[in-house]
Amino acid sequence: MTVKLQNDVLTIEVSEKGAELTSIKANKNNDEYLWTANSEFWGRHAPILFPIVGKVKNDTYRIGENTFNLTQHGFARDMEFKAVEKDSDKVILKLSWNEETLKIYPYKFELKVQYKLAGDNVEISYNVKNLDNGDIYFSIGAHPGFNCPVIGEEDNLKFEDYYFEFKNRENVDIIHINQEGLVKRNSAPFLYDSNIIHLSRQLFKKDALIFKDLCSNEISLKNIKNSKAVTLKFEGFPYLGLWSKPTGAPFVCIEPWFGHADYEDFDGDFREKDGILKLQEKEEFNCKYSIQISE
């Protein structure tokens, strides 16, 4: 089932499958900002990454003496959530553990995702609750894609007319990913006293750009021909990924994360994984980010 929310500025749609945001339209011109999930390039809109971000090595991880299999970005994005609360401008969707999830992730949990419209903002909140009899461990992240150019755009824009703009000037490295999608220990200088990244096909030839501990908690996707923009605010998230496919794909993703893929040399226990979050019994974790549409 798809849930539609609308206010004076925006109309969004959310699917119960994966609690995935599937559309963000500006009412003024009916422009579509969210990626269309064209499977020729990438068949998703904005998946939720849980209980891992990225890959575990060989799609396998260990907790104590037990081994489990988990594919990239975890299972939440492919599961049916249930809409448990809905108003004209807000919906809350819930996913809980079951016997099938226990086979690949041995923790009892509840995950709630809230979408709320507030003027020209879509506010997205995640709540993870520990329903187990001991500690649980997880990562969580967002993976929204944005049309680039915007569908409905009348200025004959192309991908290379767009750029990212951080809120603050940055001096930051990027973390590299190997061919298996695992994170390398080394990093490389990327921005020096700058807040601008111009889009090009070469930019993503080695996969995503991954940043850690940015000075900025806000990034905008803008273009050189008009004032339309998408701005993500992601306060508290320690990692940010920027990604597209270097094959002519007309979209880019802006991804705030708690956690990342395994290091390529990591062979430890899942509970020792870099960036992993821990919740004690009955404890809850909350985070949120927002997407602002500027026409």
Side-chain angles (χ1 to χ4, degrees):
M1 186 181 80
T2 298
V3 177
K4 180 181 286 189
L5 304 179
Q6 187 171 11
N7 65 8
D8 293 339
V9 184
L10 300 175
T11 300
I12 70 170
E13 294 183 3
V14 179
S15 173
E16 284 192 306
K17 182 178 180 181
E20 185 175 11
L21 187 63
T22 59
S23 176
I24 303 176
K25 286 186 176 179
N27 297 337
K28 181 180 178 181
N29 296 307
N30 208 36
D31 292 342
E32 177 62 77
Y33 282 81
L34 198 70
W35 169 238
T36 59
N38 181 347
S39 59
E40 178 184 352
F41 299 105
W42 181 55
R44 299 182 188 267
H45 303 272
I48 294 167
L49 316 182
F50 177 89
I52 58 171
V53 170
K55 290 184 176 182
V56 289
K57 196 173 183 178
N58 299 318
D59 292 335
T60 302
Y61 68 100
R62 176 174 57 82
I63 299 176
E65 297 180 354
N66 299 311
T67 299
F68 303 90
N69 295 106
L70 201 55
T71 56
Q72 185 176 23
H73 295 322
F75 53 76
R77 62 183 183 163
D78 294 316
M79 296 194 70
E80 290 292 328
F81 285 65
K82 182 179 180 180
V84 294
E85 183 179 333
K86 183 184 181 300
D87 298 317
S88 60
D89 63 350
K90 183 180 75 172
V91 64
I92 299 174
L93 304 103
K94 183 176 76 171
L95 175 69
S96 298
W97 69 276
N98 58 42
E99 294 303 321
E100 292 304 310
T101 65
L102 287 176
K103 294 176 183 178
I104 55 176
Y105 178 67
Y107 297 120
K108 297 178 180 179
F109 69 93
E110 177 186 272
L111 170 60
K112 286 183 178 179
V113 181
Q114 176 180 286
Y115 295 93
K116 183 178 181 180
L117 293 179
D120 58 2
N121 280 270
V122 185
E123 299 175 351
I124 302 105
S125 304
Y126 299 152
N127 171 266
V128 181
K129 184 181 295 184
N130 182 354
L131 301 181
D132 218 312
N133 295 321
D135 299 338
I136 72 171
Y137 297 80
F138 66 96
S139 289
I140 192 166
H143 199 319
F146 300 97
N147 288 318
C148 193
V150 172
I151 292 180
E153 180 62 63
E154 298 179 352
D155 286 339
N156 296 317
L157 287 162
K158 57 184 183 296
F159 186 85
E160 290 79 7
D161 292 329
Y162 282 79
Y163 62 94
F164 291 118
E165 182 179 88
F166 286 108
K167 181 179 181 180
N168 302 315
R169 301 180 77 85
E170 299 284 348
N171 293 281
V172 67
D173 292 355
I174 53 169
I175 301 170
H176 289 300
I177 299 175
N178 70 13
Q179 293 182 344
E180 286 73 46
L182 303 176
V183 173
K184 297 183 178 182
R185 293 281 181 181
N186 63 312
S187 59
F190 188 76
L191 288 179
Y192 177 73
D193 193 30
S194 175
N195 65 337
I196 301 296
I197 302 173
H198 293 280
L199 293 194
S200 71
R201 294 303 169 191
Q202 290 297 306
L203 188 63
F204 303 106
K205 66 179 181 180
K206 294 183 178 180
D207 211 310
L209 310 178
I210 302 175
F211 304 97
K212 182 180 181 182
D213 296 334
L214 288 159
C215 295
S216 304
N217 58 18
E218 186 176 311
I219 186 173
S220 297
L221 176 63
K222 297 182 175 183
N223 71 79
I224 62 174
K225 292 187 178 181
N226 62 49
S227 60
K228 294 182 179 181
V230 175
T231 299
L232 258 74
K233 298 178 181 178
F234 53 95
E235 186 171 0
F237 287 81
Y239 297 93
L240 182 74
L242 303 175
W243 175 74
S244 186
K245 291 195 170 182
T247 54
F251 75 90
V252 290
C253 292
I254 306 174
E255 309 175 38
W257 301 336
F258 280 89
H260 58 75
D262 276 357
Y263 283 115
E264 58 185 350
D265 61 352
F266 179 70
D267 290 311
D269 191 290
F270 183 72
R271 295 168 293 185
E272 301 167 348
K273 179 178 166 65
D274 187 65
I276 204 76
L277 297 169
K278 172 184 173 181
L279 277 182
Q280 296 179 345
E281 186 176 352
K282 298 181 180 180
E283 192 176 14
E284 298 183 27
F285 169 84
N286 293 283
C287 64
K288 63 181 180 180
Y289 74 101
S290 65
I291 302 169
Q292 182 182 33
I293 304 299
S294 301
E295 286 274 281

